[in-house]
Amino acid sequence: MHREPNDLYPPIEPYGSGMLEVGDGNLVYWEVCGNPDGKPALVVHGGPGSGSTPRSRQYFDPDRYRVVLFDQRGCGRSTPHASDPAADMAHNTTAHLIADMERLREHLAVDKWLLYGGSWGSTLILAYAEEHPERVTEIVIPSVTTTRRSEIDWLYRGVGQLFPEAWDAFRAGVPETSDPAGLVAAYARRMESEDADVREKATADWCAWEDAVVSMEAAGGPAPYSGRPGRDQLALVRICSHYFAHGAWLEEGQLIARAHRLAGIPAVLVHGRFDLAGPLTTAWELDRAWPDARLTVIDNAGHMGGPETRRAVLEALDEFAG
């Protein structure tokens, strides 16, 4: 299907969808679109807890790809939803999500698939691929992160040097914590409060901070986090704070240290030089540790991307379509 270089493919609807039982009382929403006989590709959304979006379908040539999207545990159309305080977060970890992806692959009778996703999606893609490299054909990542504790500390403390007013408000949201390094864990505790007002206030404070970090980017719009529907905001913050308070249950630097497990998997990494949420150094270090990866730095982009980021991603996905 023809498209202009900077244009996404036309909107398409799924030809199949369902709810997959993954254990622990969780049902994971999935959908498939494009060509049923096309190259399998899995879209791994960010957040964690953002949920999949119809726009993600449009990065793939629908004539050549069989595109699978899913909502990770606790968000989107998956159940139970993390906005419900009764939803048990004990069964929502990186290891659970990796197992869910494998179960979905088997359910859809996919032998191998291309993986696409950025931000938190990047971390989950790398964790999955290092666990199951034989199931991955290629990888395309815009906005590289590995969720090291150093990256989490930068996002929720270090970058506050550039936005001191917003960071002061973020810190004031958890007055019970005197240690700036404990802010994420404090927010995670507040998101488990039985008091709905406490959870809603923590959600608003967290989203205001996330908005501030990307506020100099044109691509994100005025309030990419605070502008989400209330239910989705609650789930996003509850899941994010839960994962980041635990360092995503990964050893520090694990994903880059084990990048040798990705040998033979071609990859395109696309990263904005002015990504304040996830500095370029992580993408640079991953590229150096992974000979089969190709890093493209977009000089005028940040975490939310933009036209040049979109072009680079589309070119990579078109190239890998065969």
Side-chain angles (χ1 to χ4, degrees), residues 176-192:
E176 68 275 16
T177 302
S178 58
D179 179 8
L183 293 184
V184 172
Y187 271 96
R189 289 191 293 271
R190 286 193 163 230
M191 292 307 297
E192 298 304 317

Side-chain angles (χ1 to χ4, degrees), residues 153-164 167 209 213 275-277 279:
D153 181 66
W154 165 261
L155 178 55
Y156 297 104
R157 188 180 65 86
V159 74
Q161 297 176 69
L162 300 180
F163 305 100
W167 190 76
W209 169 245
V213 174
D275 186 340
L276 297 182

Side-chain angles (χ1 to χ4, degrees), residues 13 28 36 53 128 157 187-188 202 204 236 242 247 285 287 301-302 311-312 320:
E13 293 299 320
V28 165
T53 64
Y128 173 90
R157 188 180 65 86
Y187 271 96
L236 173 68
H242 171 63
E285 291 169 5
D287 179 60
R311 179 197 289 260
F320 289 146

Side-chain angles (χ1 to χ4, degrees), residues 239-273:
I239 296 171
C240 272
S241 59
H242 171 63
Y243 272 73
F244 295 162
H246 291 90
W249 299 272
L250 300 170
E251 296 175 14
E252 184 69 355
Q254 170 182 324
L255 297 180
I256 294 177
R258 298 181 183 178
H260 60 87
R261 297 186 180 186
L262 306 174
I265 300 176
V268 172
L269 313 176
V270 183
H271 205 92
R273 188 174 298 280

Side-chain angles (χ1 to χ4, degrees), residues 15 27 30 41 124 142 190 227 233 247 274-275 309 315:
Y15 65 78
L27 295 173
W30 61 269
L124 185 53
R190 286 193 163 230
Q233 276 191 57
F274 295 107
D275 186 340
T309 300
E315 288 178 350

